[in-house]
Amino acid sequence: MSIFKKLFVPAVLAAVASSAGLASAATEVQWWHAMGGANGERVNKIAADFNATQSDYKVVPTFKGNYTETMTAAIAAFRAKKQPHIVQVFEVGTATMMAAKGAVYPVEQMMKDAGEPFDKSQYLPAVISYYQTSGGELLSMPFNSSTPVLWYNADAFKKAGVASVPKTWPEMKTASEKLVAAGYKCGFSFGWQSWVMVENFSSWHNLPMGTEENGFTGTNTIFEFNNDIVKTHMTNLQDWSKDKLFVYGGRRGDSLSMFTNGECGMWMNSSAYYGSIKKQAKFEFGQSMLPYYPEVIKSPQNSIIGGATLWVLKGKEADEYKGVAQFMNYLSSPEVQAWWHQETGYVPITTPAYELSKKQGFYKSNPGTDTAIKQLSLNTPTPNSRGIRFGNFVQIRDVINEEMEAIWSGDKTGAEGMDEAAKRGDVLLRKFERANGS
């Protein structure tokens, strides 16, 4: 028995323990996460439900702020030797976590060491490939994976005479013109703009974000998103904003209310906003695949994931990792993943969870809720569409956001903004390379 177990039950609880059994002597597993609001409550439920299935371990979830704050807190805690067992890190933090030498316990190795069954073939390829080494080892456990989709107001479409959901960018322009003419304040908006309009736009059109297979094969990568196609797209958006066809509403999810309160007829952002939209929208809504430029690609390639995974940190006792491994298996079970997917709009991370959702009739009663899964698995990922793995990308996203905002405000052209974003981004890539060269 670990020292922790011996000290866990204070003497003052001894009398209670005698009547409550030894449940209170359960080994605690600390889980730091970035899920606020309703999703935070769902995280608490998952932990509580797992705790109720056995008495050896108690998972304790703790909200540590947004994704950036949570990752930063975990790295600082590790240096102070006060790290949690599990930390939720968003997808663009992958390269940073991989570079945290000695801090990460690869989840596949952890499951093996703990003697817990683990079948990688159960996981959706588009999800799992993002978090594997070049040798195929899974580094972190997929948990909340999403992809951007096109949300639309079906009632607004009827009012404005938009006969069908736009599939291409020219159709987006036409539909937006009709919406504005019908009295709507804007045709469309979007959130998480670097992720949606640069990262996923590139993947969707099978364009590289950077060299070295978007950073997967080395840290000596150079940005390439400042190509003519992306620049033209930025210029189009800038032009459309003059007539309110597109209205900018913030870097993350700030523009959600512009869609749910009926100002904008369309919105591009994460599939994981399903729960919020369902709760807030007072109109018929749907989701469809992202638009594409037919002159660039005959049909879309595939979108890439966002969201986060659960990383296991080193420095704990072996028996504690046994609890972590059991919790990871519980978290990945078809029942838990199907529930999480249906409640939130995050994609089910395993094929069995997807199949269970089908069997339960979720997609029939909620048409379009499998859009994200279809987008991610539309085609076999290419080096341009597997994902991105750039060092310092948390900071680089801020740079891209700043330059995009300069485009929307008219301070820079689409070409100037993208060139400057790539130039500034490359400086941060070189800084990461010097510290963590491959």
Side-chain angles (χ1 to χ4, degrees), residues 215-422:
F216 270 78
T217 59
T219 56
N220 58 325
T221 186
I222 298 168
F223 282 126
E224 296 180 305
F225 60 77
N226 56 328
N227 54 64
D228 288 344
I229 294 166
V230 173
K231 286 177 178 178
T232 298
H233 180 51
M234 293 297 151
T235 301
N236 288 342
L237 291 171
Q238 185 185 58
D239 289 343
W240 297 344
S241 68
K242 295 168 187 173
D243 297 318
K244 306 293 184 185
L245 305 185
F246 152 61
V247 173
Y248 179 57
R251 293 186 180 184
R252 297 192 174 202
D254 322 54
S255 54
L256 171 65
S257 61
M258 293 167 62
F259 177 66
T260 56
N261 68 16
E263 288 181 47
C264 301
M266 295 176 284
W267 192 57
M268 279 166 277
N269 210 337
S270 174
S271 60
Y273 282 98
Y274 173 72
S276 297
I277 294 173
K278 188 176 182 181
K279 186 177 180 180
Q280 297 173 27
K282 300 293 188 280
F283 50 79
E284 287 294 317
F285 67 88
Q287 54 179 304
S288 188
M289 290 195 187
L290 295 171
Y292 66 98
Y293 285 102
E295 63 269 34
V296 174
I297 194 167
K298 287 183 179 179
S299 60
Q301 171 57 39
N302 64 275
S303 61
I304 56 176
I305 59 171
T309 53
L310 303 182
W311 291 76
V312 181
L313 301 180
K314 288 185 175 178
K316 304 292 184 180
E317 299 291 331
D319 65 325
E320 295 172 41
Y321 287 119
K322 179 78 174 175
V324 172
Q326 287 182 17
F327 177 60
M328 292 294 190
N329 265 339
Y330 174 82
L331 189 81
S332 304
S333 67
E335 294 76 17
V336 173
Q337 272 300 307
W339 173 82
W340 174 253
H341 160 56
Q342 293 172 29
E343 285 280 313
T344 64
Y346 284 111
V347 298
I349 59 173
T350 66
T351 302
Y354 180 32
E355 294 300 328
L356 179 58
S357 293
K358 282 185 191 173
K359 188 178 177 182
Q360 291 171 341
F362 180 67
Y363 305 121
K364 282 187 177 179
S365 55
N366 300 276
T369 45
D370 56 350
T371 300
I373 304 161
K374 288 178 178 177
Q375 271 193 181
L376 287 166
S377 54
L378 196 57
N379 289 293
T380 302
T382 69
N384 294 335
S385 70
R386 179 184 178 186
I388 56 173
R389 190 171 288 172
F390 302 117
N392 285 334
F393 201 68
V394 177
Q395 298 95 311
I396 291 167
R397 256 197 187 159
D398 287 338
V399 165
I400 295 172
N401 281 327
E402 286 172 15
E403 296 300 332
M404 290 175 82
E405 286 168 349
I407 296 170
W408 312 149
S409 66
D411 292 338
K412 292 184 180 179
T413 65
E416 289 168 346
M418 287 298 97
D419 280 341
E420 187 64 19

Side-chain angles (χ1 to χ4, degrees), residues 112-243:
K112 182 179 178 182
D113 293 346
E116 285 293 311
F118 179 66
D119 183 4
K120 266 194 306 195
S121 69
Q122 300 286 304
Y123 293 78
L124 295 177
V127 172
I128 202 172
S129 64
Y130 202 112
Y131 303 102
Q132 288 176 299
T133 64
S134 54
E137 182 184 32
L138 186 63
L139 297 168
S140 56
M141 180 63 76
F143 173 49
N144 58 306
S145 293
S146 61
T147 202
V149 297
L150 172 62
W151 296 96
Y152 63 91
N153 181 334
D155 293 349
F157 276 16
K158 286 178 186 175
K159 181 181 174 184
V162 178
S164 58
V165 184
K167 289 185 171 62
T168 67
W169 278 105
E171 289 172 3
M172 282 290 292
K173 180 176 183 284
T174 301
S176 296
E177 288 170 340
K178 290 182 177 180
L179 287 162
V180 172
Y184 289 91
K185 291 185 179 178
C186 85
F188 68 91
S189 189
F190 45 72
W192 284 96
Q193 59 174 2
S194 171
W195 180 54
V196 178
M197 286 298 144
V198 179
E199 299 158 43
N200 267 282
F201 178 89
S202 297
S203 172
W204 200 229
H205 290 85
N206 198 23
L207 301 168
M209 275 284 290
T211 59
E212 300 298 321
E213 296 188 10
N214 285 349
F216 270 78
T217 59
T219 56
N220 58 325
T221 186
I222 298 168
F223 282 126
E224 296 180 305
F225 60 77
N226 56 328
N227 54 64
D228 288 344
I229 294 166
V230 173
K231 286 177 178 178
T232 298
H233 180 51
M234 293 297 151
T235 301
N236 288 342
L237 291 171
Q238 185 185 58
D239 289 343
W240 297 344
S241 68
K242 295 168 187 173
D243 297 318

